[in-house]
Amino acid sequence: MPEPVTVFTSRVVPLPAENVDTDQIIPARYLKTTEKSGLAEGLFHDWRFTATGDLREPPFVLDRPKMQGRRILLAGANFGPGSSREHAPWALLSWGIRAVISTGFADIFRANSLKNGLLPIVVSPERHAALFDLLAADPDVELTIDLEAQEVRVGRGPASAARAGGAGRAASVAVPGVGAATAPSAAGTAGTAAALAAVGRAFAFEIDPFARKMLLEGTDEIGYVLGRLPSIEAWEASHPARVNTLG
Amino acid sequence: MADTVRPRTLVEKIWDEHVVLQDEGAPAVLAIDLHLVHEVTSPQAFTGLRTRGVTVRHPERTVATEDHSIPTLRGTGRGLPVVDDQAAFQVAQLERNCREFGIPLHGVGSETQGIVHVIGPELGLSQPGMTIVCGDSHTATHGALGALAFGIGTSEVEMLLATQCLLQRRPKTYEVRVDGRLAPGVSAKDVILALIARIGVGGGTGHVFEYTGEAIRALGMEQRMTICNMSIEGGARAGLVAPDDTTFEYLHGRRHVPQGAAWDEAVARWRRLPSDDGATYDRSITLDASALEPMVTYGTNPGMGVAVTGRVPSPGDAPDEAGRRALDKALAYMDLRPGEPIAGRKVDVVFLGSCTNSRIGDLRQAAALLRGRRVAPGTRLLVVPGSQQVKAQAEREGLDEVFRAAGGEWRESGCSMCIAMNGDQLEPGQYAISTSNRNFEGRQGTGGRTFLASPLTAAASAIAGVVADPRPLVDRDPVTVEGR
Ligand code: SF4
């Protein structure tokens, strides 16, 4: 069962590639495991290592010393297409990533991520571009991801009053100058200020309300369905089996 | 619940029938009729069951096969030359899990073993109106029979084993209408590659495709499977074709379909499935089949495709910076130059196989071009039938001899070089023309490069030793693309 996620702050790993498929996230030869753990080594393996197993030169973004310990990945459009392998979120989580920000996610990857407490955060193309600009201007900028408030904030500040408590389907609007939000570390440069204005100090994100509830409560979805067995039995009683694989 | 007056689509009809319950704000608890299992995405799910102390709720609605990591070369008996100890352990785990939980396994050595998406339809397990899932993104293949079939992750496999249900949100619908008729030498693979080239690999995200139109109706079941199979490559988790007489003829008499009076009842039920007149879709697109040419991909996702007569696009023509970057990266990986014709590019390996194109009709098409011809020197042809039944049928027809006489290798059934987990793989830098479904970097072996194409284009390319248009050969020697 995923550990409950509520709020965390981290610097960001930029990966400006579109359509990053699950074969890149974790190549098929790592799927021979029968465990969920230990997949960090395979994460983006062929982008990180040469055929002889050496780190690429220059190193892939994950292997730059400054990226160690970062928990947010800012990726290009349509992250995670391809195979259904849940090894993809397992590998990202094993490395330490807890949220991926993109303009969109492939359906199966998104579902698999939510089941493991990896947050797929969808932003508009404009804000997505602005986030990359912000990162270019201030590579060490911190973002706070607040699942309860359904909000991403620049810096470490508390939830904005507008949506503390998780107002749910709040529109994606910037809430300027909120609370005690710390300024980005290189604040003052014109580039940072402009990018920050385009990103907004805080913005809401959409997430399936059921998945959010399960994650916040640390509840297990299989337990939820097992709790509905009487209804399942009733349905089955009125819907004969379509096939008998043992027959 | 369902409003019985409002016209509904095929997808909505199947969905409505399978909703067990839906709590306020929660996804629906959706009943699943058939669960397909393979060795790669299931072990952690069985471990989860044991940890919970629950059993498999419906082993008789579950079926397993070994396909991904098994070798396609074998001697006699069970001494499998599995690629490494980890793969051997994983295969052994599946066998143990199936024994322990009473799940039927069409394993290696069985005459019904094969790629999971080949054996489901072949055994008559996949039927119209069903919900079918597998821990595998190409489960949409079974949608060709008029089933709502989609891929799931391992956590969902565990939920399904425990409850025979999944938590799902109702998908949006996307009509893909293909009007007109395909020209000779153009087949289902070209239709789906053309669709994905048009809408992109994320174009169908959040949706289920329903393929309609004259060109789809004219296709046989296997060709429909080829199209539905690659729905996921267009971002759609599922893709369906409404059942019709072609479907019923295909299914009649297969091992797991109803017989006698039950068959007639089933057909009557299935005839009510097609989308009602006036039913609406959330999105739609129309393709003109008669304008399609054989397609080949040049890049590193299935949306990067052009007609075989076309040229590799230039990053400069991309509409935006991200597109330019993506194309630059893809062409660097593929070592292709912007603007060069795709035809004539050298191929080292021709892979004829995978759940997209390894059925008997696919093999017949390729064999029709290869009969009496030779694979070009320096090119390797690997033919991997989708199942043991396909293999046996091909051997009855002498197709194996055609491939061997042409200089090709004839293998045992499995996923093989589609995913390169079993030792069948490209060397770094090699080019393959492949009838499989993914041209991602390293998919067919680390550093390997993939051109996706139809069986006809793959066969013509094997003969030429370079990417080649199959139409001149087809015109000389008309090939029957399996019809009704
Ligand atoms: S043939 Fe390829 S795509 Fe199909 S199930 Fe096997 S690995 Fe997956």
Side-chain angles (χ1 to χ4, degrees):
Chain A
M1 200 191 325
E3 69 182 81
V5 202
T6 50
V7 56
F8 64 93
T9 300
S10 170
R11 292 175 178 171
V12 181
V13 180
L15 180 59
E18 288 193 311
N19 300 316
V20 174
D21 60 77
T22 52
D23 276 76
Q24 305 319 310
I25 300 172
I26 182 89
R29 57 190 183 280
Y30 290 94
L31 311 189
K32 288 179 278 195
T33 179
T34 52
E35 310 287 330
K36 296 183 183 180
S37 56
L39 286 162
E41 176 209 326
L43 180 67
F44 290 114
H45 187 280
D46 296 348
W47 285 356
R48 293 168 65 192
F49 299 96
T50 64
T52 50
D54 301 317
L55 276 184
R56 288 190 186 275
E57 199 47 60
F60 181 65
V61 62
L62 286 186
D63 294 311
R64 291 180 208 146
K66 288 185 77 166
M67 298 297 150
Q68 305 316 302
R70 297 192 176 193
R71 302 168 88 190
I72 300 170
L73 182 69
L74 175 63
N78 190 38
F79 190 79
S83 122
S84 66
R85 59 190 70 169
E86 201 160 317
H87 311 66
W90 293 337
L92 286 160
L93 287 162
S94 292
W95 193 88
I97 299 293
R98 298 301 299 267
V100 184
I101 303 176
S102 172
T103 55
F105 295 87
D107 291 333
I108 307 179
F109 177 83
R110 196 192 55 236
N112 285 341
S113 294
L114 287 171
K115 292 197 175 358
N116 289 277
L118 176 69
L119 296 178
I121 294 180
V122 177
V123 294
S124 68
E126 297 73 31
R127 180 166 278 123
H128 186 244
L131 280 165
F132 273 110
D133 289 345
L134 179 61
L135 227 59
D138 179 6
D140 292 331
V141 67
E142 287 183 323
L143 297 181
T144 295
I145 296 195
D146 187 336
L147 180 62
E148 173 77 46
Q150 258 181 267
E151 184 178 80
V152 177
R153 295 186 290 279
V154 179
R156 295 180 164 260
S160 59
R163 56 184 60 81
R169 304 170 57 81
S172 284
V173 290
V175 181
V178 168
T182 53
S185 46
T189 71
T192 306
L196 188 55
V199 170
R201 284 275 175 165
F203 59 90
F205 64 89
E206 299 268 341
I207 183 170
D208 184 298
F210 182 80
R212 173 173 168 274
K213 184 167 177 295
M214 293 280 129
L215 287 171
L216 285 174
E217 294 171 1
T219 310
D220 166 42
E221 292 190 356
I222 298 179
Y224 169 86
V225 178
L226 280 170
R228 302 297 186 280
L229 270 185
S231 301
I232 296 171
E233 281 162 5
W235 186 90
E236 286 175 353
S238 60
H239 294 78
R242 290 294 178 217
V243 79
N244 176 6
T245 58
L246 292 165
Chain B
M1 278 267 77
D3 174 355
T4 48
V5 181
R6 188 178 63 83
R8 290 183 299 163
T9 61
L10 167 62
V11 173
E12 290 173 292
K13 290 181 192 184
I14 300 173
W15 176 270
D16 290 343
E17 197 197 346
H18 288 82
V19 173
V20 172
L21 66 98
Q22 184 157 16
D23 289 335
E24 181 74 32
V29 174
L30 190 73
I32 302 301
D33 293 314
L34 177 66
H35 181 193
L36 308 154
V37 174
H38 65 66
E39 72 271 30
V40 171
T41 53
S42 64
Q44 296 87 348
F46 284 104
T47 303
L49 285 191
R50 288 195 187 92
T51 309
R52 276 169 206 282
V54 301
T55 188
V56 175
R57 179 164 168 78
H58 281 301
E60 82 294 352
R61 298 183 195 185
T62 311
V63 66
T65 188
E66 297 160 340
D67 52 6
H68 280 64
S69 53
I70 52 150
T72 53
L73 280 174
R74 39 190 174 269
T76 49
R78 299 284 301 134
L80 275 185
V82 175
V83 63
D84 59 30
D85 289 350
Q86 210 187 8
F89 182 73
Q90 194 176 55
V91 168
Q93 276 288 93
L94 181 68
E95 292 171 4
R96 176 185 155 211
N97 290 331
C98 288
R99 254 196 325 274
E100 181 176 332
F101 292 103
I103 295 168
L105 171 65
H106 299 266
V108 174
S110 143
E111 58 189 34
T112 48
Q113 180 271 345
I115 304 173
V116 65
H117 310 308
V118 174
I119 68 168
E122 184 175 83
L123 295 170
L125 287 163
S126 314
Q127 297 171 20
M130 288 171 72
T131 47
I132 302 175
V133 302
C134 176
D136 195 286
S137 60
H138 291 100
T139 308
T141 313
H142 310 259
L145 294 132
L148 179 59
F150 54 92
I152 56 176
T154 300
S155 295
E156 290 180 305
V157 169
E158 183 182 341
M159 175 182 289
L160 187 54
L161 290 169
T163 68
Q164 200 61 32
C165 292
L166 291 176
L167 284 171
Q168 294 291 308
R169 298 269 177 200
R170 178 193 284 266
K172 293 197 280 250
T173 54
Y174 195 145
E175 181 184 22
V176 177
R177 202 172 80 215
V178 191
D179 288 335
R181 287 273 170 165
L182 293 172
V186 184
S187 63
K189 183 64 160 286
D190 304 309
V191 174
I192 189 66
L193 286 174
L195 173 72
I196 302 163
R198 187 123 149 227
I199 66 171
V201 293
T205 304
H207 292 74
V208 168
F209 292 141
E210 183 183 337
Y211 301 98
T212 66
E214 182 193 356
I216 302 294
R217 289 286 138 229
L219 294 175
M221 283 313 301
E222 295 187 356
Q223 296 256 317
R224 294 179 187 183
M225 288 179 213
T226 298
I227 290 181
C228 290
N229 172 275
M230 288 188 70
S231 300
I232 187 71
E233 262 59 67
R237 214 169 162 184
L240 300 80
V241 175
D244 59 11
D245 288 338
T246 302
T247 320
F248 309 144
E249 273 164 41
Y250 172 89
L251 282 173
H252 190 72
R254 289 188 187 262
R255 177 160 147 192
H256 286 279
V257 295
Q259 314 288 338
W263 166 259
D264 296 333
E265 267 170 48
V267 171
R269 185 159 45 79
W270 296 339
R271 285 198 190 282
R272 294 195 292 271
L273 284 169
S275 295
D276 298 326
D277 288 340
T280 54
Y281 300 83
D282 295 298
R283 293 180 72 176
S284 58
I285 190 173
T286 304
L287 301 184
D288 176 8
S290 58
L292 296 181
E293 295 187 71
M295 295 287 294
V296 183
T297 62
Y298 55 82
T300 52
N301 74 49
M304 294 177 165
V306 286
V308 67
T309 52
R311 289 172 184 275
V312 174
S314 299
D317 297 340
D320 55 25
E321 175 54 31
R324 242 183 325 276
R325 223 171 27 224
L327 200 48
D328 266 334
K329 187 169 188 299
L331 297 190
Y333 183 84
M334 294 296 290
D335 195 18
L336 294 176
R337 282 180 305 284
E340 72 174 312
I342 191 75
R345 283 296 310 205
K346 164 118 187 68
V347 295
D348 302 294
V349 176
V350 179
F351 176 61
L352 180 56
S354 91
C355 58
T356 315
N357 283 122
S358 64
R359 297 177 183 81
I360 191 67
D362 301 314
L363 302 187
R364 283 179 190 144
Q365 285 177 36
L369 297 194
L370 284 159
R371 187 169 279 118
R373 298 194 173 95
R374 296 278 308 169
V375 174
T379 303
R380 174 185 178 204
L381 168 66
L382 185 65
V383 187
V384 182
S387 71
Q388 288 298 306
Q389 293 206 47
V390 170
K391 178 167 184 265
Q393 177 64 30
E395 287 174 353
R396 278 193 292 277
E397 297 177 17
L399 304 185
D400 57 325
E401 278 312 316
V402 174
F403 294 124
R404 276 203 207 92
E409 298 167 50
W410 177 246
R411 294 292 186 89
E412 300 291 333
S413 51
C415 296
S416 180
M417 204 185 277
C418 171
I419 191 164
M421 283 184 75
N422 74 334
D424 299 340
Q425 63 188 64
L426 297 177
E427 299 298 323
Q430 279 192 323
Y431 288 88
I433 190 158
S434 176
T435 65
S436 56
N437 43 52
R438 287 190 175 140
N439 51 355
F440 297 150
E441 289 180 27
R443 170 78 177 188
Q444 297 194 283
T446 308
R449 298 158 171 153
T450 302
F451 301 121
L452 297 175
S454 72
L456 287 172
T457 304
S461 303
I463 295 161
V466 296
V467 174
D469 189 337
R471 288 173 295 184
L473 293 180
V474 171
D475 289 345
R476 218 175 307 158
D477 245 335
V479 177
T480 328
V481 171
E482 169 232 27
R484 272 174 195 274

